[in-house]
Amino acid sequence: MYTRVESRFWQDEKMRLVSDDARYLMLYLLTSPHRNVLGFYFLPEPYACFDLGWTTERFRKALGELLANGLVKYDETAHVVLIINFLKHNPLENHNQVKSATQKLDEIPKTPLLRDFYETVKKYADGKSHYSSLLERLEKLLGEQLEQQLPKQLHKPFGKQEKEEEKEEEEKEKEKEKEKEYRDILSSDETDDTRLTEDSLNDDDNKTINAITPKEVVELYNSICVSLPRVVTISEKRRKQIKALLKKIRDRTEIEAVFRKAEESDFLSGRSGKWNGCNFDWLINYNNFIKVLEGTYDNKEAKPKSWNVLERLYKEELEKEMNSE
């Protein structure tokens, strides 16, 4: 099958707002070997990562941009992707294509995205009678889904259902509290961690020349280590690890030095292709921190080929002199 990708794809406003990886992923989704005539198909992450030669992290980051811009929808449980405007640019032209598309529906795992796909088909089927069989099939599938869901809801004891709803509310409240805590950490100039660091200045065993907060440590890392995974959350565990590190080092220049060494190191930054496990948490581990600071992972300067030639010529001349003597 072929897919129509219009030249204005590259000038589309939403496409211009996303990263190169996100644009490349969108083009892949439109032309993927796993696609179908619906733009609604089964696509597990490992399939896409293998085709693209990407890590799971890189795939999820690019997919997140497409989701945020309303270009696609993705069901992580059923591994199904829906390209929102696929049928706009690749309409089903006749009854035969609709018949083929209807058969493809049976190959797609059960997913809540079926409702979204139904709304998409209704939108682009307006005034096109040959879409009617596809719409009927979708309505039947949606009815079957509803029938399967209703008995589960109706057979739940009222008290149990009420408890589950209360539990969901509690979980939502916890999430809100975590978000608030994170915002407070990032927005406050004087956090508990800052005061702890300042208190440590009075401790003879834990003196630091320049007090630095966990927030500033994270900002330093994000600004210097651009090749490594970006830190977006300062969890309680992470704050404790940063505090522990701050008590053991002399000043902020050591932190800057380690972050710069990590970014410049071909091995730690992943540029050498030998390892990609370096990240913020790995760097603030004290043992790893010291190794990086001492230059364990610095790039080794290889001898130029010309040097090897000169070295060989020198040895040959030396052997000739020894033989002549």
Side-chain angles (χ1 to χ4, degrees):
M1 64 171 286
Y2 71 91
T3 300
R4 184 182 296 121
V5 180
E6 298 187 17
S7 58
R8 62 173 177 266
F9 170 89
W10 302 104
Q11 282 79 42
D12 184 87
E13 185 178 351
K14 288 184 178 179
M15 284 292 98
R16 294 172 70 87
L17 291 175
V18 298
S19 66
D20 290 344
D21 271 3
R23 278 193 292 272
Y24 188 60
L25 178 59
M26 188 65 194
L27 192 59
Y28 165 77
L29 294 176
L30 289 168
T31 60
S32 165
H34 314 290
R35 74 193 189 285
N36 57 28
V37 295
L38 301 169
F40 178 46
Y41 58 93
F42 180 62
L43 183 69
E45 283 185 4
Y47 286 19
C49 291
F50 178 80
D51 291 340
L52 294 165
W54 286 2
T55 61
T56 301
E57 182 180 31
R58 185 177 178 184
F59 170 78
R60 289 179 178 175
K61 184 178 179 181
L63 179 63
E65 289 187 61
L66 299 182
L67 293 171
N69 283 277
L71 294 163
V72 301
K73 292 189 177 184
Y74 189 74
D75 181 353
E76 294 182 357
T77 303
H79 309 292
V80 172
V81 65
L82 169 61
I83 304 172
I84 302 299
N85 287 336
F86 186 86
L87 289 176
K88 176 182 178 181
H89 303 289
N90 295 271
L92 303 173
E93 303 288 356
N94 51 55
H95 288 288
N96 287 335
Q97 287 188 1
V98 170
K99 182 179 179 180
S100 174
T102 304
Q103 292 171 347
K104 291 293 181 184
L105 282 175
D106 296 328
E107 300 174 7
I108 301 170
K110 293 179 181 178
T111 169
L113 293 182
L114 190 67
R115 167 62 64 180
D116 299 280
F117 178 63
Y118 173 67
E119 295 299 330
T120 300
V121 174
K122 275 192 6 180
K123 178 179 177 181
Y124 297 120
D126 188 32
K128 300 174 182 177
S129 60
H130 60 281
Y131 272 82
S132 59
S133 59
L134 177 59
L135 287 168
E136 288 172 7
R137 178 60 178 158
L138 283 168
E139 287 166 1
K140 183 179 179 182
L141 290 172
L142 287 169
E144 290 172 358
Q145 277 191 4
L146 187 61
E147 286 176 5
Q148 291 172 358
Q149 292 169 2
L150 279 176
K152 294 178 182 178
Q153 296 295 325
L154 293 173
H155 285 97
K156 282 183 180 179
F158 180 75
K160 184 177 179 181
Q161 186 174 347
E162 194 175 43
K163 286 179 181 178
E164 288 181 359
E165 290 175 356
E166 288 177 0
K167 187 176 180 181
E168 287 179 6
E169 287 298 322
E170 288 177 5
E171 291 296 327
K172 288 179 182 178
E173 288 299 321
K174 287 180 181 178
E175 287 299 320
K176 288 180 182 178
E177 288 176 7
K178 286 180 181 178
E179 289 177 9
K180 184 178 182 299
E181 181 183 1
Y182 175 54
R183 287 195 298 270
D184 290 343
I185 290 168
L186 293 181
S187 62
S188 174
D189 291 328
E190 183 181 351
T191 65
D192 292 338
D193 295 298
T194 306
R195 289 191 291 273
L196 282 167
T197 306
E198 290 169 347
D199 290 341
S200 69
L201 291 171
N202 299 321
D203 186 341
D204 291 336
D205 295 328
N206 297 314
K207 285 185 178 179
T208 58
I209 296 173
N210 297 312
I212 180 170
T213 68
K215 175 190 171 185
E216 291 170 327
V217 173
V218 168
E219 288 174 347
L220 270 177
Y221 168 84
N222 284 339
S223 64
I224 295 172
C225 299
V226 294
S227 300
L228 299 178
R230 186 177 180 83
V231 174
V232 296
T233 304
I234 305 178
S235 62
E236 185 64 28
K237 180 181 178 182
R238 190 170 273 164
R239 281 191 289 139
K240 287 179 180 178
Q241 289 174 330
I242 297 172
K243 281 196 300 179
L245 178 65
L246 291 174
K247 290 180 180 179
K248 294 177 181 178
I249 64 174
R250 287 194 296 270
D251 54 49
R252 68 182 294 147
T253 58
E254 289 189 342
I255 296 177
E256 289 185 31
V258 165
F259 291 162
R260 292 192 188 283
K261 281 177 173 285
E263 177 60 27
E264 292 168 2
S265 169
D266 290 339
F267 179 75
L268 293 180
S269 67
R271 288 188 293 272
S272 68
K274 295 178 180 178
W275 188 57
N276 61 354
C278 185
N279 54 32
F280 179 77
D281 296 314
W282 188 90
L283 287 172
I284 63 173
N285 176 285
Y286 184 66
N287 291 332
N288 298 334
F289 187 92
I290 292 300
K291 287 179 184 178
V292 177
L293 186 63
E294 292 176 347
T296 303
Y297 301 100
D298 287 359
N299 296 330
K300 305 296 187 294
E301 293 185 7
K303 291 181 181 178
K305 291 182 179 178
S306 58
W307 175 267
N308 294 331
V309 174
L310 289 170
E311 191 174 34
R312 179 169 56 79
L313 290 172
Y314 173 75
K315 287 181 179 179
E316 289 176 357
E317 289 296 322
L318 188 62
E319 287 176 2
K320 287 178 182 178
E321 289 181 9
M322 290 177 68
N323 291 333
S324 64
E325 292 176 359

